[in-house]
Structure formats: C-alpha cells, structure tokens
Amino acid sequence: MLSILKTELTDFCELSSVRANINKAYHELESQNYDKVIQICDISIVECEKIKGKAVTLEKEEIANSMFVASAYCKVLKYYSRYWLKLVEGKFKDSWVVLQDTIDNLISVTKFTENHSEFGIREFNSHLNELEKLYPYSIFASSEMVIETKECSICGKSVLDIDCIHIPGNLYWGQIAVTICKDIVFQAVALVKHPMDKRCVMEVSGDNRTEKEKFKLLHYFVENNTNPLKLFTVTELDKYYYNEKYDMVKRNEPCPCNSGKKFKKCCGAIKYERGSHFHIKLENDISLRPLPFSSMLLGS
C-alpha cells in the first residue's frame, strides 16, 4: 500500500507533501538531527490523517487504507529517531521500550506492504532485529488471563456476533480492526523467551553491575557508530576465557566456586571458562536509506 506514494492522484495532491516530508526526514536522520525528524514526522502523520479523512468522504477505501500504512511508516522514522536520542543520552534501559515502539509500527507497515524490497522495509526489519541482540534481555513476563468480553474496534459488536464482519488485523477504511478485551481476570504470570510484547523485561535481583557493564555491547556500538542508518550484524560465538582468579589457588585447596571439592578435582581441571563472545560488524558501504524511495522522491 505504500506504493501509493509513488503516484500522482488528481484528487489527492496532498500526497506530494507527504513524499517531500519523508524525504526530508531521511536527510535529517542521516545528519543525526533527531528532533527535526520527529517534528517532520509529526507533520506528515497529521497530513496522512487529513488525506485519509478525505478518502473516506470520497469513498476511496484503498487510499484510506494506504494512508494508515503511510502514517505507520512515518511513525517508524519518528520512534527510531526517539530511540537514537535515548542512545546518545546514554539511557539504554529506556531505549528498549522505544525500540519496541519502532518495531510495532514496522510490523504494521510490513503486513500491509506487498513488496518488502521497496522503501527499505526488509532492511529496516533486519536492522531492528540486530539492535535487539545488543541488549542483555532474554527472559520476559507474559500475563495469563481470562477474558470475558471481546468487542470489535470497528463496529463495537462482540467478535462472536454473526453481524460482525470485521477480521482482527485487517484494514477497514483506514482503521485496523482489533479486539477490545473487557472484564479481564488475571490468572498468572509466565516467564517466556519469545513473547509478542517484549516490554516487560525480567531482571535478576541483586545485580550490582553498572549500567555500562549491563549494556556493554550497546555502549560499544554507540561509541563506534554514529550513523543511525548504517547496517550492521551481531554474531554470537562460543569462546574460552582464562580466569585469573585461579592463579593463586593451590591444587589441594577448596575450589573458589564453593562446590566443596578440592580445586584440582573441580575448576582446577579446567584452565579456561566457556562464555559467549559477540562480534559486531559494521557494514561501511551499506545504508538503511531506501534508494528506490529516495530517488522517487527526488523526482529522478
């Protein structure tokens, strides 16, 4: 549906303003002017809503739906800029939630765009997945609940009502149909690795590490990369590390790991400890900027 941004429609000349603003947003993002990107995207989102309202009035459902996707695309750039503001400020913990906001909007764009090679969608998805790997989060909380009432966000009827023709997740006149849950009874909280919503992070109590120690990968990434549009990859490898705390331990002394065994029959038999090693590779010649989109906007 984003392909509508490539077209010129007589009744919707406002599309040219959205195209120009998105192009400006990418230019400002390349220059790390994040506040400016947010401002431009806010203007574009308002423009998309106006065009969507006009499309509904003229009974052009396809255009109305396309404006929902275009607005979500602008929100991706907006939240991604907010994300980098958090990184620059060193607020790594707060940045995780903003990253999830970016991912949520990109999911909407991806779902309703047929050609993922256009507009940098495929690259953006891959890029955000790599950013998630830089965080020390692996366990999340997921709620278990009983839902008594489910209503359609479009017609307000029960989703079980035969008169409700709307399918959750589909677009109708520029609005996405969702299920509104009411009369919720929470049962339990489960610890999971791959929840739909990763905002509720579980952390180990008593962890006295500093923020820099907890987010050492992210800290390294920010120090060595100031371009928010530069692609990169994260590879996790197994590596053996020599533990210096064993240097002063004698063979017949109790093992420092508190196993109760002698050092020679426990950790003394292992000179190195196994651990994870992360390799971050910056793709110097590859940019996140979608070339077909930028060239189209520039009129070439």
Side-chain angles (χ1 to χ4, degrees):
M1 291 184 180
L2 276 177
S3 58
I4 194 173
L5 293 175
K6 290 184 176 182
T7 60
E8 294 290 344
L9 301 177
T10 305
D11 294 332
F12 297 92
C13 57
E14 301 92 340
L15 285 172
S16 61
S17 176
V18 176
R19 290 198 297 264
N21 281 337
I22 293 177
N23 195 39
K24 289 178 184 177
Y26 267 107
H27 278 299
E28 297 295 343
L29 192 54
E30 284 180 321
S31 302
Q32 294 94 52
N33 296 326
Y34 304 119
D35 287 324
K36 187 66 175 178
V37 176
I38 294 171
Q39 180 183 357
I40 293 172
C41 289
D42 281 337
I43 294 173
S44 297
I45 292 168
V46 172
E47 285 292 328
C48 288
E49 288 299 316
K50 289 181 179 178
I51 298 172
K52 184 172 72 174
K54 184 177 180 179
V56 172
T57 301
L58 296 176
E59 298 184 349
K60 303 287 186 180
E61 185 176 12
E62 183 179 355
I63 295 177
N65 291 341
S66 296
M67 286 301 98
F68 171 89
V69 182
S71 178
Y73 190 84
C74 293
K75 290 176 183 177
V76 169
L77 299 180
K78 173 183 176 178
Y79 284 113
Y80 186 62
S81 296
R82 282 185 178 176
Y83 172 73
W84 268 91
L85 277 175
K86 295 293 184 184
L87 293 186
V88 172
E89 294 169 356
K91 298 179 179 179
F92 298 148
K93 194 170 184 178
D94 295 340
S95 70
W96 174 257
V97 175
V98 187
L99 178 59
Q100 299 308 310
D101 293 336
T102 310
I103 291 173
D104 284 349
N105 281 283
L106 190 57
I107 288 174
S108 295
V109 175
T110 304
K111 180 176 181 179
F112 299 111
T113 303
E114 293 182 359
N115 189 354
H116 295 167
S117 63
E118 288 189 310
F119 310 106
I121 294 174
R122 182 181 292 114
E123 291 77 10
F124 227 132
N125 270 305
S126 176
H127 184 66
L128 297 183
N129 288 335
E130 293 300 309
L131 284 171
E132 281 192 313
K133 295 178 183 179
L134 298 176
Y135 289 81
Y137 303 139
S138 58
I139 303 296
F140 307 89
S142 180
S143 300
E144 179 183 333
M145 63 190 76
V146 175
I147 302 171
E148 299 292 341
T149 307
K150 297 180 180 180
E151 293 182 358
C152 173
S153 63
I154 303 295
C155 63
K157 298 177 181 178
S158 170
V159 295
L160 301 177
D161 194 324
I162 194 172
D163 292 329
C164 177
I165 61 172
H166 306 107
I167 302 173
N170 284 5
L171 283 174
Y172 300 91
W173 296 99
Q175 297 184 58
I176 189 168
V178 297
T179 300
I180 300 175
C181 300
K182 296 183 177 181
D183 303 320
I184 302 172
V185 179
F186 288 94
Q187 300 289 319
V189 175
L191 302 183
V192 296
K193 288 189 174 182
H194 304 289
M196 291 185 64
D197 189 339
K198 295 182 179 179
R199 289 174 177 81
C200 193
V201 177
M202 301 302 295
E203 296 186 81
V204 179
S205 61
D207 188 348
N208 297 320
R209 291 179 299 168
T210 64
E211 288 292 297
K212 185 175 181 179
E213 291 173 332
K214 291 180 182 178
F215 297 94
K216 57 183 179 181
L217 283 178
L218 198 55
H219 193 274
Y220 172 84
F221 173 74
V222 174
E223 281 190 336
N224 291 274
N225 177 41
T226 57
N227 185 354
L229 296 180
K230 181 181 291 186
L231 296 181
F232 71 100
T233 55
V234 180
T235 306
E236 183 177 1
L237 305 169
D238 279 338
K239 190 173 182 179
Y240 288 88
Y241 298 87
Y242 180 70
N243 198 327
E244 295 180 354
K245 70 181 181 181
Y246 296 153
D247 285 347
M248 304 302 293
V249 183
K250 296 181 180 180
R251 285 171 50 80
N252 290 315
E253 290 182 350
C255 188
C257 74
N258 297 319
S259 65
K261 299 179 181 179
K262 290 184 178 181
F263 177 63
K264 66 181 180 181
K265 292 187 177 181
C266 191
C267 295
I270 306 173
K271 293 183 179 180
Y272 296 89
E273 287 186 343
R274 187 176 182 179
S276 294
H277 172 73
F278 292 87
H279 175 66
I280 300 175
K281 180 183 178 183
L282 299 175
E283 305 291 351
N284 294 325
D285 299 326
I286 304 178
S287 173
L288 186 60
R289 185 184 178 97
L291 295 178
F293 194 48
S294 60
S295 61
M296 175 271 295
L297 294 176
L298 293 171
S300 58

